[in-house]
Amino acid sequence: MSASDKVAKKHEEPISSQTLMNDGGFFHKMEDDVHEVLEREKRRDQLTDCNEIDNYPSHEHNQESGMKYGKTEQLTYELEKKDAEIQQLKHIITQWEAKHKEVKARNAQLLKMLREGEMKDKAEILLQVYELQVIINELALQVTTLHAALELQAELTKYQMLKACVPTGRVWKKDVLPKSGKRGKKKR
């Protein structure tokens, strides 16, 4: 199997672009293929240069050159075919590079959007935390105020009870004594 057959067979094998992109070898494979075709083109140029140098009139040489000419024509045809293939591959590479740049730009934009969203979420959460802290402070102040008012009320009640219990010339104040009329009255 010749090198050109191997290359042709290589190009016939179905290789998914997804597999090549995942392996990162797509562009490397393309570069290798282009390099091979360029090498073949260089060999073709060398072959045509040799044919021009050896072009002298002789009957035997004319027969040999006729066979060489047929082979040269075949090789030229194959090289032209490969040149067309190279151009097509170069075009494909250009398209993939453009798509790659486009995807990179979209990914950068998405990343920026995600970061902005995260910052917005963080800002909203911080604002909610601040608002909750304000509410907690207000409630703590209200609890402290209510507790102080409750203690004051307890002290006031205690004071009023003590004031009511202290003798003032009379035995007890009316409002402290039970309201039943039986106290202090004797039964007859």
Side-chain angles (χ1 to χ4, degrees), residues 106-119:
R106 279 190 302 206
N107 285 347
Q109 187 177 8
L110 285 172
L111 181 63
K112 181 180 175 185
M113 289 170 59
L114 285 173
R115 285 184 179 159
E116 287 174 358
E118 287 175 1
M119 293 304 289

Side-chain angles (χ1 to χ4, degrees), residues 30-131:
M30 294 301 291
E31 287 177 18
D32 292 343
D33 290 346
V34 168
H35 182 70
E36 281 182 34
V37 172
L38 290 174
E39 287 295 319
R40 277 191 240 124
E41 188 175 307
K42 195 183 287 184
R43 279 186 248 137
R44 179 188 65 172
D45 290 343
Q46 289 174 352
L47 180 64
T48 55
D49 289 344
C50 287
N51 284 340
E52 289 174 3
I53 292 172
D54 290 339
N55 200 5
Y56 59 90
S58 133
H59 182 67
E60 292 174 2
H61 187 271
N62 286 340
Q63 288 178 351
E64 288 177 17
S65 66
M67 290 191 291
K68 284 182 182 179
Y69 180 74
K71 187 163 183 150
T72 304
E73 285 297 315
Q74 181 184 2
L75 291 173
T76 305
Y77 173 75
E78 287 180 16
L79 283 173
E80 287 173 357
K81 201 162 91 173
K82 294 299 178 181
D83 286 341
E85 186 178 336
I86 287 172
Q87 291 303 320
Q88 183 182 8
L89 292 174
K90 283 182 180 179
H91 181 69
I92 290 171
I93 288 173
T94 306
Q95 287 177 338
W96 278 105
E97 287 174 344
K99 287 180 183 179
H100 181 7
K101 286 179 183 177
E102 190 177 307
V103 168
K104 282 179 79 172
R106 279 190 302 206
N107 285 347
Q109 187 177 8
L110 285 172
L111 181 63
K112 181 180 175 185
M113 289 170 59
L114 285 173
R115 285 184 179 159
E116 287 174 358
E118 287 175 1
M119 293 304 289
K120 187 183 274 186
D121 289 344
K122 287 178 183 177
E124 288 175 2
I125 290 171
L126 289 173
L127 180 63
Q128 289 176 353
V129 166
Y130 174 76
E131 290 172 352

